[in-house]
Every structure is written in C-alpha cells, then in structure tokens.
Amino acid sequence: MIITIKEKQFDTAKITQLYPAAVVKTGYEDETTQVSLEWLDVEAKGKVEVVGFGIFIHLGEEEKHTFMFDTKEEMDEEIGYIASQLN
C-alpha cells in the first residue's frame, strides 16, 4: 500500500518505523532532540523549549524522513490524513 505524506509517497511495506514526536532544545547550544508527546504532556510542562513537532519515518536502518510542523494541531491534521489512507 502506498501512503502520501506532504506530497511524498511511501510504500508501507518498506516502513520500519512511523511515529510523531515533539522536538525540543537540549540546552546545549542549538542542539535538539525528539521526545514523546506523552512525556511532553505529562513530565515536561514548562520545563523544555519546544522547537516544533514532527512525523518521523524510517525505511530500514539507513533511510529516514522528517516532516516538521510548527504546531501540534498541524501535525495532528497530517496524522489524521495518514490514518485515513490506511483505513
């Protein structure tokens, strides 16, 4: 099955990971890292600086794609679109 994310197509048979996450500053220079949305909502309230939100796709070990969004709402909308393609 082929799914489309922001006009880029992926064969679901090749996707090894597909997940949403928040991207936050680590506190070291301009370094950022991904954190789970649950951790952000429960543990990190006001403790970290959110840079954005992303949908991350891994195709095996080597190929990775990142789709960034300014707000969680924008990311949630794209996740809804992905889910509708899988139904």
Side-chain angles (χ1 to χ4, degrees):
M1 167 183 263
I2 302 297
I3 62 170
T4 303
I5 302 172
K6 285 196 161 187
E7 300 178 8
K8 186 159 180 72
Q9 293 189 328
F10 298 94
D11 182 347
T12 56
K14 295 181 180 180
I15 296 174
T16 54
Q17 291 185 52
L18 187 158
Y19 58 93
V23 178
V24 300
K25 288 192 174 187
T26 64
Y28 180 75
E29 296 181 355
D30 289 333
E31 184 180 75
T32 61
T33 192
Q34 302 169 15
V35 297
S36 76
L37 298 173
E38 180 181 9
W39 183 84
L40 184 66
D41 288 343
V42 175
E43 301 291 333
K45 291 189 187 258
K47 297 178 184 173
V48 295
E49 184 178 345
V50 177
V51 176
F53 295 88
I55 297 172
F56 301 90
I57 297 180
H58 295 216
L59 305 173
E61 294 288 322
E62 301 295 320
E63 190 175 349
K64 299 174 183 175
H65 298 269
T66 301
F67 300 93
M68 292 298 297
F69 303 88
D70 292 329
T71 67
K72 186 173 183 302
E73 290 75 21
E74 290 172 333
M75 181 188 68
D76 286 345
E77 185 176 318
E78 189 69 22
I79 290 170
Y81 176 65
I82 295 167
S84 73
Q85 294 175 72
L86 296 172
N87 287 332

